[in-house]
Amino acid sequence: MPAKTMDELVSLCKRRGFIFQGSEIYGGMQGAYDYGPLGIELKNNLKAAWWRSMVYERDDVEGLDAAIIQNKHVYKYSGHEDTFTDPMVDCHECKSRMRADHMKDIKVCDNCGSADVTEPRDFNLMFKTNVGPMVNEESYTYLRPETAQGIFTNFKNVVDSTSRALPFGIAQIGKSFRNEITPRNFIFRVREFEQMELEFFCKPGEDEKWHEFWVETRKQWWLDQGLAEENIQFEYVTGDDLAHYSKSTVDILYKFPHGFEELEGVANRTDYDLGSHTKAQDEFGLSAKVKKNEHSTAKLAVRDLEANKWEVPFCIEPSAGLDRGLLAVMTEAYTEEELENGSTRTVLKFKPHLAPIKVAILPLKKNKPEIVALAKELKNKLQKLGLGRILYENTGNVGKGYRRHDEVGTPICVTVDFDSIEKEGAPVTVRDRDTMEQVVVPAADLPAYVINYFINQD
Protein backbone atom coordinates (compact mmCIF):
# COMPACT_ATOMS: atom_id res chain seq x y z
CA MET A 1 0.00 0.00 0.00
CA PRO A 2 1.42 3.45 -0.93
CA ALA A 3 2.27 6.01 1.74
CA LYS A 4 -0.85 7.39 3.39
CA THR A 5 0.61 10.62 4.73
CA MET A 6 3.29 13.05 3.68
CA ASP A 7 4.76 12.90 7.18
CA GLU A 8 5.71 9.26 6.64
CA LEU A 9 7.70 10.18 3.55
CA VAL A 10 9.28 13.31 5.02
CA SER A 11 10.49 11.37 8.06
CA LEU A 12 11.96 8.55 5.98
CA CYS A 13 13.56 10.97 3.52
CA LYS A 14 15.52 12.78 6.22
CA ARG A 15 16.33 9.69 8.30
CA ARG A 16 17.74 7.74 5.37
CA GLY A 17 19.36 10.56 3.40
CA PHE A 18 16.96 11.08 0.52
CA ILE A 19 15.90 14.72 0.95
CA PHE A 20 16.81 17.46 3.45
CA GLN A 21 15.34 20.87 4.13
CA GLY A 22 17.39 23.51 2.30
CA SER A 23 19.55 25.73 4.54
CA GLU A 24 18.31 23.77 7.55
CA ILE A 25 21.07 24.93 9.92
CA TYR A 26 19.79 28.49 9.43
CA GLY A 27 16.17 27.64 10.00
CA GLY A 28 15.44 26.40 6.51
CA MET A 29 13.99 28.14 3.48
CA GLN A 30 10.42 27.60 2.32
CA GLY A 31 10.17 25.83 -1.01
CA ALA A 32 13.84 24.77 -1.14
CA TYR A 33 15.12 21.22 -0.61
CA ASP A 34 18.45 19.45 -0.95
CA TYR A 35 18.84 15.91 -2.26
CA GLY A 36 21.00 13.69 -0.07
CA PRO A 37 23.18 10.67 -0.94
CA LEU A 38 20.25 8.39 -1.77
CA GLY A 39 17.99 11.12 -3.12
CA ILE A 40 20.42 12.15 -5.82
CA GLU A 41 20.82 8.52 -6.91
CA LEU A 42 17.05 8.07 -7.18
CA LYS A 43 16.74 11.38 -9.01
CA ASN A 44 19.49 10.51 -11.48
CA ASN A 45 17.97 7.08 -12.08
CA LEU A 46 14.56 8.59 -12.86
CA LYS A 47 16.18 11.09 -15.24
CA ALA A 48 18.13 8.32 -16.93
CA ALA A 49 14.95 6.27 -17.40
CA TRP A 50 13.18 9.26 -18.98
CA TRP A 51 16.13 10.06 -21.26
CA ARG A 52 16.47 6.44 -22.30
CA SER A 53 12.77 6.27 -23.17
CA MET A 54 12.60 9.63 -24.94
CA VAL A 55 15.92 9.76 -26.79
CA TYR A 56 17.69 6.40 -26.96
CA GLU A 57 14.66 4.21 -27.62
CA ARG A 58 13.19 6.51 -30.27
CA ASP A 59 14.52 7.42 -33.70
CA ASP A 60 12.74 10.76 -33.94
CA VAL A 61 14.04 12.71 -30.92
CA GLU A 62 17.22 14.70 -30.29
CA GLY A 63 18.57 15.94 -26.95
CA LEU A 64 19.43 19.46 -25.80
CA ASP A 65 20.74 21.30 -22.77
CA ALA A 66 19.99 25.01 -23.07
CA ALA A 67 21.25 27.78 -20.79
CA ILE A 68 19.29 28.72 -17.68
CA ILE A 69 19.90 32.45 -18.23
CA GLN A 70 18.71 33.66 -21.63
CA ASN A 71 18.08 36.91 -23.47
CA LYS A 72 15.16 38.78 -21.90
CA HIS A 73 13.42 38.95 -25.30
CA VAL A 74 12.81 35.20 -25.01
CA TYR A 75 10.32 35.86 -22.20
CA LYS A 76 8.86 38.93 -23.81
CA TYR A 77 7.79 37.03 -26.92
CA SER A 78 6.96 33.77 -25.14
CA GLY A 79 4.28 35.65 -23.22
CA HIS A 80 5.79 35.05 -19.79
CA GLU A 81 6.28 38.73 -18.99
CA ASP A 82 2.59 39.41 -19.57
CA THR A 83 0.83 36.22 -18.50
CA PHE A 84 3.03 34.15 -16.14
CA THR A 85 1.23 35.26 -13.00
CA ASP A 86 -0.78 33.96 -10.06
CA PRO A 87 -3.45 35.93 -8.16
CA MET A 88 -2.09 36.92 -4.72
CA VAL A 89 -3.93 37.94 -1.55
CA ASP A 90 -2.34 39.34 1.65
CA CYS A 91 -3.86 39.19 5.12
CA HIS A 92 -3.29 42.37 7.14
CA GLU A 93 -4.03 40.56 10.40
CA CYS A 94 -1.60 37.58 10.37
CA LYS A 95 0.59 38.79 7.48
CA SER A 96 -0.02 35.60 5.51
CA ARG A 97 0.28 35.58 1.74
CA MET A 98 -1.98 33.24 -0.24
CA ARG A 99 -2.89 32.32 -3.79
CA ALA A 100 -6.42 33.52 -4.39
CA ASP A 101 -7.31 30.52 -6.54
CA HIS A 102 -6.40 28.18 -3.65
CA MET A 103 -8.44 30.01 -0.98
CA LYS A 104 -11.79 28.75 0.27
CA ASP A 105 -13.11 32.32 0.23
CA ILE A 106 -11.06 35.18 -1.23
CA LYS A 107 -12.58 37.55 1.32
CA VAL A 108 -11.49 35.51 4.35
CA CYS A 109 -7.96 34.49 5.38
CA ASP A 110 -7.49 30.71 5.38
CA ASN A 111 -4.99 30.94 8.26
CA CYS A 112 -6.61 33.20 10.84
CA GLY A 113 -10.17 33.78 9.58
CA SER A 114 -9.79 37.54 9.33
CA ALA A 115 -11.73 39.46 6.71
CA ASP A 116 -9.03 42.12 6.59
CA VAL A 117 -7.48 40.88 3.33
CA THR A 118 -6.41 42.60 0.13
CA GLU A 119 -8.10 42.27 -3.21
CA PRO A 120 -6.45 39.64 -5.47
CA ARG A 121 -3.64 41.07 -7.59
CA ASP A 122 -1.36 39.54 -10.18
CA PHE A 123 2.06 38.38 -9.05
CA ASN A 124 4.66 37.47 -11.69
CA LEU A 125 6.28 34.15 -10.85
CA MET A 126 9.60 34.73 -12.60
CA PHE A 127 12.81 35.47 -10.68
CA LYS A 128 14.31 38.65 -12.09
CA THR A 129 18.07 39.07 -12.14
CA ASN A 130 20.70 41.40 -13.58
CA VAL A 131 23.44 40.46 -16.03
CA GLY A 132 26.80 42.23 -15.88
CA PRO A 133 28.13 44.92 -13.56
CA MET A 134 25.43 47.53 -14.20
CA VAL A 135 22.05 47.28 -12.47
CA ASN A 136 19.46 49.05 -14.56
CA GLU A 137 16.41 48.45 -16.75
CA GLU A 138 18.58 47.43 -19.68
CA SER A 139 20.58 44.73 -17.89
CA TYR A 140 17.82 42.54 -16.48
CA THR A 141 16.71 39.09 -17.49
CA TYR A 142 15.06 36.15 -15.70
CA LEU A 143 15.91 32.73 -14.36
CA ARG A 144 14.00 30.50 -16.74
CA PRO A 145 10.54 29.46 -15.46
CA GLU A 146 10.50 26.44 -17.79
CA THR A 147 12.95 24.58 -20.01
CA ALA A 148 10.74 24.74 -23.10
CA GLN A 149 11.80 28.16 -24.40
CA GLY A 150 15.41 27.07 -24.86
CA ILE A 151 14.13 24.31 -27.14
CA PHE A 152 12.07 26.69 -29.26
CA THR A 153 14.89 29.21 -29.66
CA ASN A 154 17.24 26.38 -30.71
CA PHE A 155 14.79 24.85 -33.17
CA LYS A 156 16.62 26.06 -36.26
CA ASN A 157 20.02 25.06 -34.85
CA VAL A 158 18.84 21.50 -34.25
CA VAL A 159 17.18 21.22 -37.68
CA ASP A 160 20.24 22.60 -39.48
CA SER A 161 22.72 20.40 -37.59
CA THR A 162 20.75 17.12 -37.73
CA SER A 163 18.71 17.48 -40.96
CA ARG A 164 15.60 16.40 -39.09
CA ALA A 165 12.27 16.32 -40.93
CA LEU A 166 8.79 16.39 -39.39
CA PRO A 167 7.69 14.79 -37.20
CA PHE A 168 10.51 14.92 -34.65
CA GLY A 169 11.12 16.04 -31.09
CA ILE A 170 13.69 17.79 -28.93
CA ALA A 171 14.09 16.58 -25.33
CA GLN A 172 15.59 18.41 -22.37
CA ILE A 173 15.99 17.93 -18.63
CA GLY A 174 16.93 20.93 -16.56
CA LYS A 175 16.41 23.35 -13.69
CA SER A 176 13.59 25.87 -13.68
CA PHE A 177 12.64 28.54 -11.18
CA ARG A 178 9.27 29.91 -10.11
CA ASN A 179 8.71 32.37 -7.30
CA GLU A 180 5.73 30.46 -5.94
CA ILE A 181 3.49 32.42 -3.58
CA THR A 182 2.82 29.39 -1.38
CA PRO A 183 5.21 26.43 -1.85
CA ARG A 184 3.62 23.38 -0.27
CA ASN A 185 3.38 19.62 0.13
CA PHE A 186 7.09 18.86 0.54
CA ILE A 187 8.77 18.70 -2.90
CA PHE A 188 5.48 18.80 -4.82
CA ARG A 189 5.51 22.58 -5.27
CA VAL A 190 8.86 24.31 -4.82
CA ARG A 191 10.67 27.37 -6.13
CA GLU A 192 13.62 25.54 -7.69
CA PHE A 193 12.84 22.31 -9.52
CA GLU A 194 13.74 20.17 -12.50
CA GLN A 195 11.61 19.49 -15.54
CA MET A 196 11.69 16.69 -18.08
CA GLU A 197 10.23 18.16 -21.26
CA LEU A 198 9.77 17.05 -24.82
CA GLU A 199 8.71 19.40 -27.59
CA PHE A 200 7.44 17.22 -30.43
CA PHE A 201 7.02 19.05 -33.74
CA CYS A 202 4.55 17.88 -36.37
CA LYS A 203 2.61 19.09 -39.37
CA PRO A 204 -0.50 21.18 -38.80
CA GLY A 205 -3.47 18.83 -39.09
CA GLU A 206 -1.56 15.94 -37.54
CA ASP A 207 -1.38 17.55 -34.12
CA GLU A 208 -4.46 15.91 -32.58
CA LYS A 209 -3.26 12.43 -33.54
CA TRP A 210 0.13 13.06 -31.95
CA HIS A 211 -1.45 14.62 -28.88
CA GLU A 212 -3.44 11.44 -28.22
CA PHE A 213 -0.35 9.35 -28.87
CA TRP A 214 1.76 11.19 -26.32
CA VAL A 215 -0.94 11.16 -23.63
CA GLU A 216 -1.10 7.37 -23.76
CA THR A 217 2.67 6.97 -24.17
CA ARG A 218 3.41 9.09 -21.13
CA LYS A 219 0.86 7.28 -18.99
CA GLN A 220 2.44 3.95 -19.90
CA TRP A 221 5.89 5.29 -19.00
CA TRP A 222 4.74 6.17 -15.51
CA LEU A 223 3.25 2.69 -15.14
CA ASP A 224 6.63 1.30 -16.17
CA GLN A 225 8.21 3.28 -13.32
CA GLY A 226 6.04 1.41 -10.85
CA LEU A 227 2.98 3.62 -10.42
CA ALA A 228 -0.32 1.75 -10.08
CA GLU A 229 -2.96 2.38 -12.74
CA GLU A 230 -5.67 2.95 -10.13
CA ASN A 231 -3.63 5.87 -8.78
CA ILE A 232 -3.51 7.64 -12.15
CA GLN A 233 -6.25 9.77 -13.70
CA PHE A 234 -6.60 12.06 -16.71
CA GLU A 235 -7.93 15.59 -16.40
CA TYR A 236 -9.00 17.29 -19.62
CA VAL A 237 -8.30 21.00 -19.24
CA THR A 238 -10.97 23.21 -20.79
CA GLY A 239 -12.21 26.78 -21.01
CA ASP A 240 -10.45 29.47 -18.99
CA ASP A 241 -8.18 26.87 -17.38
CA LEU A 242 -6.36 26.33 -20.68
CA ALA A 243 -3.06 28.13 -21.01
CA HIS A 244 -3.03 30.96 -23.52
CA TYR A 245 -0.90 28.91 -25.94
CA SER A 246 -2.87 25.67 -25.69
CA LYS A 247 -5.37 24.21 -28.12
CA SER A 248 -5.93 21.27 -25.76
CA THR A 249 -4.22 19.92 -22.66
CA VAL A 250 -4.50 16.65 -20.76
CA ASP A 251 -3.05 16.53 -17.26
CA ILE A 252 -1.89 13.18 -15.94
CA LEU A 253 -2.82 13.16 -12.25
CA TYR A 254 -1.38 10.95 -9.53
CA LYS A 255 -2.82 10.17 -6.13
CA PHE A 256 -0.26 11.81 -3.85
CA PRO A 257 -0.72 11.65 -0.06
CA HIS A 258 -2.51 15.02 -0.31
CA GLY A 259 -4.81 13.85 -3.12
CA PHE A 260 -4.89 13.65 -6.91
CA GLU A 261 -2.69 16.37 -8.43
CA GLU A 262 -0.84 16.98 -11.66
CA LEU A 263 2.15 14.77 -12.33
CA GLU A 264 2.61 15.66 -15.99
CA GLY A 265 0.85 17.81 -18.55
CA VAL A 266 0.58 16.99 -22.24
CA ALA A 267 -0.31 20.12 -24.21
CA ASN A 268 -1.06 20.84 -27.85
CA ARG A 269 0.73 24.18 -28.17
CA THR A 270 -0.11 24.59 -31.89
CA ASP A 271 2.28 26.94 -33.72
CA TYR A 272 2.25 29.47 -30.90
CA ASP A 273 5.83 29.05 -29.67
CA LEU A 274 7.78 28.84 -32.91
CA GLY A 275 5.42 31.45 -34.33
CA SER A 276 6.15 33.78 -31.41
CA HIS A 277 9.92 33.49 -31.80
CA THR A 278 10.16 33.64 -35.60
CA LYS A 279 10.82 36.65 -37.73
CA ALA A 280 8.62 37.47 -40.75
CA GLN A 281 5.54 36.10 -38.97
CA ASP A 282 3.18 37.39 -41.66
CA GLU A 283 4.68 34.99 -44.22
CA PHE A 284 3.41 31.83 -42.50
CA GLY A 285 -0.32 32.22 -41.89
CA LEU A 286 -0.03 31.35 -38.21
CA SER A 287 -3.08 29.86 -36.51
CA ALA A 288 -2.05 31.15 -33.07
CA LYS A 289 -2.37 34.75 -31.98
CA VAL A 290 1.17 35.98 -31.29
CA LYS A 291 2.88 39.23 -30.39
CA LYS A 292 4.64 40.93 -33.31
CA ASN A 293 8.30 39.99 -33.08
CA GLU A 294 10.72 42.81 -33.82
CA HIS A 295 13.90 41.17 -32.53
CA SER A 296 14.19 37.61 -33.86
CA THR A 297 16.81 36.99 -36.55
CA ALA A 298 15.61 33.55 -37.74
CA LYS A 299 12.67 31.98 -39.52
CA LEU A 300 11.57 29.02 -37.41
CA ALA A 301 9.88 27.09 -40.19
CA VAL A 302 10.41 23.97 -42.27
CA ARG A 303 9.87 23.30 -45.95
CA ASP A 304 6.80 21.25 -46.83
CA LEU A 305 8.02 19.59 -50.02
CA GLU A 306 4.59 18.24 -50.99
CA ALA A 307 2.88 21.62 -50.71
CA ASN A 308 6.03 23.44 -51.83
CA LYS A 309 5.85 26.02 -49.06
CA TRP A 310 7.39 26.97 -45.74
CA GLU A 311 5.31 26.39 -42.63
CA VAL A 312 5.68 26.71 -38.88
CA PRO A 313 5.21 23.30 -37.22
CA PHE A 314 2.70 22.57 -34.49
CA CYS A 315 4.09 21.38 -31.17
CA ILE A 316 2.97 18.71 -28.70
CA GLU A 317 4.56 19.08 -25.25
CA PRO A 318 4.72 16.33 -22.63
CA SER A 319 6.11 18.18 -19.59
CA ALA A 320 6.84 16.37 -16.33
CA GLY A 321 8.18 17.64 -13.04
CA LEU A 322 11.13 15.51 -11.97
CA ASP A 323 10.68 16.34 -8.29
CA ARG A 324 6.99 15.48 -8.44
CA GLY A 325 7.86 12.30 -10.28
CA LEU A 326 10.30 11.32 -7.58
CA LEU A 327 7.65 12.03 -4.93
CA ALA A 328 5.13 9.86 -6.81
CA VAL A 329 7.60 7.00 -7.17
CA MET A 330 8.43 7.15 -3.45
CA THR A 331 4.76 7.33 -2.50
CA GLU A 332 3.95 4.25 -4.58
CA ALA A 333 6.99 2.29 -3.39
CA TYR A 334 6.39 2.93 0.33
CA THR A 335 5.16 -0.29 1.93
CA GLU A 336 4.64 -1.44 5.50
CA GLU A 337 4.47 -5.20 5.93
CA GLU A 338 3.63 -7.37 8.93
CA LEU A 339 5.94 -10.34 9.16
CA GLU A 340 5.21 -13.86 10.40
CA ASN A 341 6.82 -13.16 13.78
CA GLY A 342 4.46 -10.23 14.37
CA SER A 343 7.01 -7.50 13.68
CA THR A 344 6.70 -5.00 10.84
CA ARG A 345 9.13 -3.77 8.25
CA THR A 346 9.13 -0.71 6.03
CA VAL A 347 10.13 -1.37 2.43
CA LEU A 348 10.57 0.94 -0.54
CA LYS A 349 9.61 -1.38 -3.39
CA PHE A 350 11.24 0.59 -6.19
CA LYS A 351 11.53 -0.86 -9.63
CA PRO A 352 15.12 -2.18 -9.66
CA HIS A 353 16.29 0.29 -12.34
CA LEU A 354 15.25 3.18 -10.05
CA ALA A 355 16.69 1.86 -6.78
CA PRO A 356 19.35 4.23 -5.38
CA ILE A 357 21.55 1.28 -4.35
CA LYS A 358 21.43 -1.66 -6.71
CA VAL A 359 23.29 -4.20 -4.57
CA ALA A 360 24.62 -4.08 -1.00
CA ILE A 361 27.59 -6.24 -0.05
CA LEU A 362 27.51 -7.18 3.64
CA PRO A 363 30.47 -9.01 5.23
CA LEU A 364 29.37 -11.14 8.20
CA LYS A 365 32.42 -10.17 10.25
CA LYS A 366 33.92 -6.72 9.81
CA ASN A 367 37.17 -7.69 11.55
CA LYS A 368 37.85 -10.89 9.57
CA PRO A 369 40.40 -9.91 6.88
CA GLU A 370 39.58 -12.77 4.50
CA ILE A 371 35.83 -12.02 4.55
CA VAL A 372 36.42 -8.29 4.15
CA ALA A 373 38.81 -8.83 1.23
CA LEU A 374 36.36 -11.06 -0.66
CA ALA A 375 33.48 -8.65 0.01
CA LYS A 376 35.47 -5.71 -1.40
CA GLU A 377 36.53 -7.76 -4.41
CA LEU A 378 32.89 -8.63 -5.20
CA LYS A 379 31.83 -5.02 -4.72
CA ASN A 380 34.42 -3.83 -7.24
CA LYS A 381 33.42 -6.50 -9.77
CA LEU A 382 29.73 -5.63 -9.55
CA GLN A 383 30.44 -1.90 -9.74
CA LYS A 384 32.14 -2.41 -13.11
CA LEU A 385 28.90 -3.84 -14.54
CA GLY A 386 27.59 -0.28 -14.86
CA LEU A 387 24.24 -0.97 -13.20
CA GLY A 388 24.53 1.90 -10.75
CA ARG A 389 25.73 2.26 -7.19
CA ILE A 390 26.98 -0.91 -5.46
CA LEU A 391 27.46 -0.38 -1.72
CA TYR A 392 30.01 -2.10 0.49
CA GLU A 393 28.68 -1.82 4.05
CA ASN A 394 30.94 -3.07 6.80
CA THR A 395 28.77 -2.86 9.93
CA GLY A 396 29.06 -6.48 10.96
CA ASN A 397 25.33 -6.79 11.69
CA VAL A 398 23.67 -8.49 8.74
CA GLY A 399 20.14 -8.54 10.21
CA LYS A 400 20.08 -4.79 10.78
CA GLY A 401 21.67 -4.33 7.37
CA TYR A 402 18.79 -6.18 5.71
CA ARG A 403 16.20 -3.96 7.43
CA ARG A 404 18.09 -0.81 6.58
CA HIS A 405 18.34 -1.77 2.92
CA ASP A 406 14.67 -2.77 2.81
CA GLU A 407 13.84 0.75 3.96
CA VAL A 408 15.92 2.43 1.26
CA GLY A 409 14.80 0.07 -1.49
CA THR A 410 17.94 -1.95 -2.25
CA PRO A 411 16.73 -4.87 -4.43
CA ILE A 412 19.31 -7.46 -3.35
CA CYS A 413 21.84 -7.88 -0.57
CA VAL A 414 24.85 -10.19 -0.77
CA THR A 415 26.30 -11.61 2.44
CA VAL A 416 29.88 -12.87 2.58
CA ASP A 417 30.36 -15.27 5.52
CA PHE A 418 32.70 -18.02 6.75
CA ASP A 419 31.43 -20.48 4.11
CA SER A 420 32.52 -17.96 1.48
CA ILE A 421 36.16 -18.26 2.53
CA GLU A 422 36.20 -21.89 3.64
CA LYS A 423 34.14 -23.82 1.09
CA GLU A 424 34.89 -24.60 -2.53
CA GLY A 425 33.44 -22.06 -4.97
CA ALA A 426 33.30 -19.32 -2.33
CA PRO A 427 29.51 -19.40 -1.94
CA VAL A 428 27.75 -16.14 -0.98
CA THR A 429 24.16 -15.60 0.15
CA VAL A 430 21.90 -13.43 -2.02
CA ARG A 431 18.73 -12.05 -0.41
CA ASP A 432 15.76 -10.65 -2.34
CA ARG A 433 14.22 -7.46 -0.96
CA ASP A 434 10.59 -8.20 -1.81
CA THR A 435 10.35 -11.93 -1.04
CA MET A 436 13.14 -12.03 1.59
CA GLU A 437 14.12 -15.37 0.06
CA GLN A 438 17.80 -16.29 0.11
CA VAL A 439 19.81 -18.31 -2.38
CA VAL A 440 23.43 -19.40 -2.37
CA VAL A 441 25.53 -18.44 -5.40
CA PRO A 442 29.20 -19.17 -6.12
CA ALA A 443 31.19 -15.96 -6.02
CA ALA A 444 32.38 -16.42 -9.60
CA ASP A 445 28.76 -16.60 -10.80
CA LEU A 446 27.56 -13.54 -8.88
CA PRO A 447 28.03 -10.94 -11.69
CA ALA A 448 26.00 -13.06 -14.12
CA TYR A 449 23.33 -13.65 -11.45
CA VAL A 450 23.02 -9.92 -10.76
CA ILE A 451 22.80 -8.98 -14.45
CA ASN A 452 20.14 -11.62 -15.04
CA TYR A 453 18.20 -10.37 -12.01
CA PHE A 454 18.00 -6.80 -13.26
CA ILE A 455 17.14 -7.85 -16.82
CA ASN A 456 14.28 -10.05 -15.66
CA GLN A 457 12.95 -7.68 -13.00
CA ASP A 458 12.56 -4.67 -15.30
Side-chain angles (χ1 to χ4, degrees), residues 54-67:
M54 282 295 189
V55 181
Y56 297 162
E57 295 176 2
R58 298 188 62 87
D59 295 322
D60 55 1
V61 174
E62 299 288 351
L64 183 74
D65 183 15

Side-chain angles (χ1 to χ4, degrees), residues 115-127:
D116 188 10
V117 297
T118 64
E119 291 293 322
R121 62 194 188 279
D122 284 340
F123 172 77
N124 196 294
L125 300 178
M126 289 193 292
F127 283 98

